[in-house]
Amino acid sequence: MFGAAAATPLDHEVAPNRSLSSSHALRSASQRALEIGRAASPSGAVARSIPELARVHPDTFGFAVTTVDGVEFGVGASDVAFSLQSITKLFALTALLRLDPTAWEHVGWSPTELGYDSVSELERGAGRSRNPFVNAGALVVTDRLLHHTGSAVDTVTDLIRELSGDENVASDGAVASSEAGADHRNRALAHMLAEHGQLLNDVDVVLAHYYAQCAITASALSVARASRFLADRQMPDRVLDPANVRRINAVLLTSGMYNAAGEIAYRIGLPAKSGIGGGVVATLPGVGTVCAWSPPLNADGNSVGAVAAIEAFASTSGWSVF
């Protein structure tokens, strides 16, 4: 699957009924973002913590935009599926909130003071995770999805398919196995959560679903589409109630980019979520969403090129919550 990422990037159009003026302006901003992101990406390094991800071609770059009034398009490799990794935490939380309105009580909503996979922060909090986007919180979300549905990975996969309209969204077994074979930190987090009574299911079962969930693949355009519910305040069939949409956007702004959340809020001003597969999705409530994909990461575990591209897009287009 990942070998296809080296293919020549394609520009493609979707939604022919969109406004030409806004489409042309956003296309120009997206093309500039693509160029700036590509120039920045060589300063990063492809993730090595999951061996299978190290095989992804580092030069691949995709960028996609969707708006609440129907503009949709992608530039670069925006139609190539990539490993979503921690971006799936956004959709896992959404799926859980649809089933359990008390979900926030179990995962918290405060920014992390340490890394996204910190064991010491979890221990300091007596087993309570800081928020649903750090690994400990995501494990709790996966556990509770498993409790409610019997399959956390199927539930998250089905939700992304539903929201994106992309039936090709699926979990990559090779990536899930690769992470399971190399992972120690998440096992430590899961056992500590269990020790504090935070898990409802067996640790190994929760971890298996977590790895498979993180291994879900989708294109930048599909991720942008699937995230549009966070921006569309007039969606006729709401995915979530307005209060939870507002809360998710708030926690994305303060915690979606981990230790770099403050810097991203300062530089870009958009709620955003990253994954070590190289993807970053960002939303502007009331306007739309963007997703960029570039595999090389910085020290915070965020894509160098994707962050640079979204920053350039936000600057050119005027997208910001501030």
Side-chain angles (χ1 to χ4, degrees), residues 3 13 32 50 67 86 89 92 101 119 127 209 218 229 269 274 288 310 315 317:
E13 295 266 359
R32 178 174 180 270
I50 301 176
T67 70
S86 286
K89 296 173 182 176
V119 176
H209 279 261
F229 77 95
S274 64
I310 293 175
S315 175
S317 65

Side-chain angles (χ1 to χ4, degrees), residues 153-174:
V153 61
D154 288 346
T155 301
V156 178
T157 300
D158 289 346
L159 178 60
I160 298 173
R161 286 177 179 171
E162 172 194 336
L163 297 177
S164 67
D166 182 358
E167 290 300 315
N168 293 317
V169 173
S171 179
D172 187 321

Side-chain angles (χ1 to χ4, degrees), residues 19-79:
S19 162
L20 284 177
S21 59
S22 65
S23 174
H24 286 169
L26 292 176
R27 173 170 287 282
S28 176
S30 298
Q31 194 60 51
R32 178 174 180 270
L34 185 72
E35 293 166 1
I36 289 175
R38 279 178 170 158
S41 65
S43 65
V46 175
R48 302 289 175 184
S49 57
I50 301 176
E52 193 70 16
L53 293 185
R55 299 171 54 188
V56 181
H57 198 290
D59 296 333
T60 312
F61 209 112
F63 191 91
V65 178
T66 69
T67 70
V68 299
D69 59 1
V71 176
E72 288 189 356
F73 61 82
V75 294
S78 61
D79 57 352

Side-chain angles (χ1 to χ4, degrees), residues 276-287:
I276 63 169
V280 177
V281 61
T283 177
L284 177 56
V287 179

Side-chain angles (χ1 to χ4, degrees), residues 24-266:
H24 286 169
L26 292 176
R27 173 170 287 282
S28 176
S30 298
Q31 194 60 51
R32 178 174 180 270
L34 185 72
E35 293 166 1
I36 289 175
R38 279 178 170 158
S41 65
S43 65
V46 175
R48 302 289 175 184
S49 57
I50 301 176
E52 193 70 16
L53 293 185
R55 299 171 54 188
V56 181
H57 198 290
D59 296 333
T60 312
F61 209 112
F63 191 91
V65 178
T66 69
T67 70
V68 299
D69 59 1
V71 176
E72 288 189 356
F73 61 82
V75 294
S78 61
D79 57 352
V80 176
F82 65 94
S83 188
L84 300 188
Q85 293 299 312
S86 286
I87 290 177
T88 64
K89 296 173 182 176
L90 161 61
F91 299 104
L93 175 63
T94 300
L96 182 59
L97 286 167
R98 295 173 92 177
L99 296 166
D100 181 4
T102 71
W104 289 110
E105 298 174 12
H106 307 294
V107 296
W109 50 81
S110 301
T112 178
E113 296 175 0
L114 301 175
Y116 61 85
D117 59 355
S118 173
V119 176
S120 61
E121 187 169 64
L122 182 62
E123 185 173 26
R124 191 187 308 167
R128 178 176 169 81
S129 60
R130 299 285 292 186
N131 63 70
F133 301 139
V134 293
N135 289 14
L139 284 164
V140 172
V141 171
T142 298
D143 172 65
R144 291 183 178 270
L145 274 180
L146 184 59
H147 171 74
H148 285 292
T149 69
S151 177
V153 61
D154 288 346
T155 301
V156 178
T157 300
D158 289 346
L159 178 60
I160 298 173
R161 286 177 179 171
E162 172 194 336
L163 297 177
S164 67
D166 182 358
E167 290 300 315
N168 293 317
V169 173
S171 179
D172 187 321
V175 173
S177 296
S178 180
E179 181 172 9
D183 181 50
H184 296 289
R185 184 62 64 93
N186 287 318
R187 291 185 183 279
L189 289 170
H191 281 287
M192 184 169 291
L193 287 166
E195 179 183 359
H196 287 279
Q198 298 293 327
L199 297 184
L200 304 174
N201 296 280
D202 179 78
V203 165
D204 289 335
V205 176
V206 174
L207 285 166
H209 279 261
Y210 179 74
Y211 297 143
Q213 171 194 302
C214 289
I216 292 172
T217 64
S219 68
L221 184 56
S222 290
V223 173
R225 283 175 176 163
S227 306
R228 187 164 47 200
F229 77 95
L230 293 172
D232 194 347
R233 293 166 172 159
Q234 305 301 322
M235 186 174 281
D237 298 318
R238 290 191 183 276
V239 177
L240 284 176
D241 61 280
N244 272 315
V245 170
R246 185 184 71 247
R247 290 167 185 150
I248 290 176
N249 276 316
V251 180
L252 284 172
L253 185 66
T254 61
S255 307
M257 303 294 283
Y258 308 123
N259 289 24
E263 178 186 358
I264 298 302
Y266 175 83

Side-chain angles (χ1 to χ4, degrees), residues 280-312:
V280 177
V281 61
T283 177
L284 177 56
V287 179
T289 59
V290 295
C291 181
W293 171 47
S294 174
L297 311 177
N298 61 19
D300 292 313
N302 298 323
S303 169
V304 177
V307 168
I310 293 175
E311 180 178 17

